[in-house]
Amino acid sequence: MIRIASRFLLSLSLLCAALSPCQAQDKGPLVLAAASLQESLTDAANAWATKKHPRPVISFAGSSALARQIGAGAPADIFISADEPWMDDVANKGLIRPGTRISFLANKLVLVAPANSGARIAIKPGFPLARALGNGRLAMADPDAVPAGKYGKAALTQLGVWPSVEGKVARAENVRAALTLVERGEAPFGIVYATDAMASKGVRVIGTFPANSHPPITYPIALLKSATSTDAEPFRRFLISREGKAIFARYGFTAK
């Protein structure tokens, strides 16, 4: 009986090795996510793994870079963008599963300075940011492509400040890279998400940009058509659940 059982288990193992569905069950989903989700999404992935699921693999970068990778055929299961336009870009190419897109988080935009800076400046129409910068640079994610930079440019434009600081912008590849420039003192000011500032001990918040000075900061999530992990859709549902949103709330995000 032992020999028969052993042969049965061996046959079952070989069958699972040969069939992609069995392989998919053992593989955690590959998630491409906006850089600003680094701590919160990592925590959510750890929580998911404690529920006896394979731990998701997460790649963080600027939403623009991730959307381009998906468009170029990069295999992934889930995409989480820091704005709607880059999710639109992926959707318009027919690369997301119908019915799986939902905006589930919101954020705020803040002006930060190094933690040891004594700078004070009130964010209002025409505020003297260029003068405060002096010969320094304003750290921002690329305002022509990356969501955090686009939101920042929109806010500064609405407040009538953009023309005076455009030539002083230090363009970073994503919002975390912009944050690092301020943390290191390489830029006297930076524009990042409130959650990024909350995650860093190296910066302090100078002020929060008015919500009406820029488009709403929302995070859409969707399952990609290239998804192969059978755990991808359950993990997506976990992230948008009350339990999942509570994890993000601990890191300063607002649930939608």
Side-chain angles (χ1 to χ4, degrees):
M1 289 294 293
I2 294 175
R3 184 175 301 174
I4 293 173
S6 298
R7 287 177 179 173
F8 172 77
L9 290 174
L10 177 60
S11 298
L12 183 60
S13 298
L14 292 174
L15 180 61
C16 274
L19 298 176
S20 57
C22 290
Q23 290 177 325
Q25 288 176 357
D26 296 331
K27 182 181 67 172
L30 173 57
V31 183
L32 302 184
S36 51
L37 294 167
Q38 191 166 323
E39 292 82 10
S40 56
L41 187 55
T42 297
D43 196 357
N46 290 338
W48 182 245
T50 64
K51 297 177 181 292
K52 309 299 182 183
H53 295 278
R55 191 187 185 286
V57 176
I58 310 171
S59 177
F60 296 102
S63 300
S64 54
L66 296 174
R68 291 182 184 119
Q69 289 174 23
I70 295 168
D77 297 292
I78 296 171
F79 177 41
I80 309 176
S81 172
D83 73 356
E84 303 295 339
W86 282 114
M87 184 63 79
D88 290 340
D89 180 79
V90 174
N92 291 339
K93 293 174 181 174
L95 300 176
I96 69 173
R97 295 272 180 92
T100 65
R101 176 178 177 171
I102 185 172
S103 295
F104 72 123
L105 299 173
N107 212 334
K108 296 179 181 179
L109 198 67
V110 298
L111 181 69
V112 296
N116 60 2
S117 170
R120 293 180 181 275
I121 186 169
I123 297 177
K124 58 184 180 180
F127 73 105
L129 181 56
R131 187 168 71 234
L133 284 167
N135 294 323
R137 311 279 279 178
L138 175 64
M140 295 175 63
D142 184 353
D144 292 330
V146 182
K150 291 162 63 180
Y151 292 128
K153 179 180 178 180
L156 294 175
T157 299
Q158 199 275 339
L159 294 169
V161 177
W162 179 251
S164 66
V165 301
E166 183 177 6
K168 296 175 176 284
V169 171
R171 297 172 177 241
E173 65 181 8
N174 59 58
V175 69
R176 285 307 174 92
L179 181 71
T180 298
L181 290 175
V182 182
E183 288 174 331
R184 293 176 177 173
E186 296 175 20
F189 296 100
I191 297 178
V192 299
Y193 297 124
T195 53
D196 297 307
M198 183 176 172
S200 172
K201 295 181 179 179
V203 303
R204 68 181 185 85
V205 175
I206 299 296
T208 302
F209 287 91
N212 63 3
S213 68
H214 56 78
I217 301 173
T218 57
Y219 289 71
I221 181 174
L223 191 69
L224 297 171
K225 282 190 175 178
S226 60
T228 58
S229 170
T230 57
D231 221 28
E233 175 57 11
F235 183 56
R236 186 193 71 88
R237 291 198 302 267
F238 169 73
L239 294 178
I240 65 177
S241 70
R242 180 177 298 180
E243 182 181 359
K245 288 178 179 178
I247 295 173
F248 291 100
R250 291 202 296 268
Y251 291 87
F253 291 91
T254 302
K256 287 178 63 63

